[in-house]
Amino acid sequence: MKTGLFFGSFNPIHVGHLIIANYMLQFTEVEEVWFVVSPQNPFKIHDTLADEKHRLAMARLAVEDNEKLKASDVEFGLSKPSFTIHTLHHLKETYPDREFILIMGSDNLAGLHKWKGFEEIITGYELFVYHREGRDNQSLKARKNVRVFDAPVLNISATFIREVLQAKKSVRYLVPESVKAYIEENQLY
Ligand code: ATP
């Protein structure tokens, strides 16, 4: 089964992420998308980063009405800091019947060559890239395993969501209602 992996801190997950995941389900042969929530880095104190349990809970709430979307805490149990290549090895071993595909914005391509295990990632896995403003990498886009999609990208970020909340304004429509309620109940951000 072709499974798309969407890595991020999801602090919090927002509709921009959900739109991309659903686009991949609708327009590519990806059959499931997993949001892989990055764990807290114990060596980095980050005052705006909500606890990993909260970020996972919000991702779970965001996908609960879609059986093809999942939130994964796989990296919580792996060595830190998380390296994508380690996570991929672990997932491949745990789910031998699945074929994992990386989903990322074209802006992420700019620094990809510096990632641990870069050559193994780009030769061993397909990368489904959606066009996004920012720095890019044309030579990477030409690699055999890279496919670029023109998905609808909403110009919002988790940083913006946190700023809206800090300004005591509503994040209605920017995150699912369930996520909005969770943020309020737990007084996050
Ligand atoms: P922050 O503002 O806190 O950096 P973010 O909104 O960029 O957060 P991440 O959790 O870092 O969210 O995102 C995970 C992945 O989703 C990243 O690869 C990021 O490039 C991508 N992404 C973020 N916002 C959007 C968006 N509006 N549309 C499409 N992709 C997005």
Side-chain angles (χ1 to χ4, degrees):
M1 183 189 260
K2 288 192 189 255
T3 306
L5 299 174
F6 203 164
F7 291 88
S9 51
F10 303 113
N11 183 40
I13 194 165
H14 54 67
V15 293
H17 300 130
L18 292 162
I19 287 169
I20 297 299
N22 191 52
Y23 175 91
M24 293 297 170
L25 288 175
Q26 302 297 315
F27 290 91
T28 76
E29 48 301 3
V30 164
E31 292 160 274
E32 268 187 18
V33 175
W34 295 1
F35 291 99
V36 182
V37 180
S38 63
Q40 240 71 16
N41 181 336
F43 306 108
K44 261 196 201 166
I45 308 293
H46 194 316
D47 57 0
T48 58
L49 186 64
D51 190 275
E52 61 192 28
K53 289 186 194 69
H54 287 313
R55 291 182 286 115
L56 177 68
M58 292 186 282
R60 292 214 161 121
L61 285 170
V63 301
E64 70 184 351
D65 61 350
N66 188 336
E67 59 178 16
K68 293 182 174 170
L69 298 178
K70 302 263 151 57
S72 169
D73 62 355
V74 58
E75 289 191 341
F76 293 10
L78 300 178
S79 60
K80 289 163 196 144
S82 320
F83 291 108
T84 300
I85 189 65
H86 294 167
T87 310
L88 290 169
H89 287 161
H90 177 82
L91 287 173
K92 218 170 157 176
E93 225 177 271
T94 316
Y95 304 95
D97 297 339
R98 288 184 187 263
E99 186 191 325
F100 292 103
I101 295 172
L102 281 90
I103 298 172
M104 64 176 72
S106 54
D107 54 322
N108 285 157
L109 284 182
L112 195 70
H113 61 285
K114 296 189 206 133
W115 288 20
K116 186 173 177 166
F118 161 71
E119 267 307 324
E120 191 189 340
I121 292 175
I122 195 117
T123 52
Y125 297 86
E126 277 195 286
L127 266 67
F128 284 8
V129 172
Y130 53 93
H131 189 73
R132 203 155 180 239
E133 298 251 315
R135 281 207 306 138
D136 206 326
N137 186 321
Q138 293 305 329
S139 67
L140 273 187
K141 276 185 175 171
R143 296 282 295 245
K144 183 172 140 276
N145 278 346
V146 178
R147 276 168 62 193
V148 184
F149 296 91
D150 204 6
V153 177
L154 199 62
N155 186 20
I156 63 168
S157 63
T159 304
F160 174 68
I161 310 273
R162 296 193 301 274
E163 284 167 4
V164 170
L165 288 161
Q166 272 150 27
K168 308 269 183 255
K169 296 185 193 300
S170 172
V171 290
R172 192 173 185 194
Y173 308 126
L174 298 173
V175 300
E177 271 300 310
S178 54
V179 172
K180 179 174 172 283
Y182 187 94
I183 291 172
E184 286 161 8
E185 271 159 35
N186 293 280
Q187 301 176 336
L188 303 181
Y189 310 114

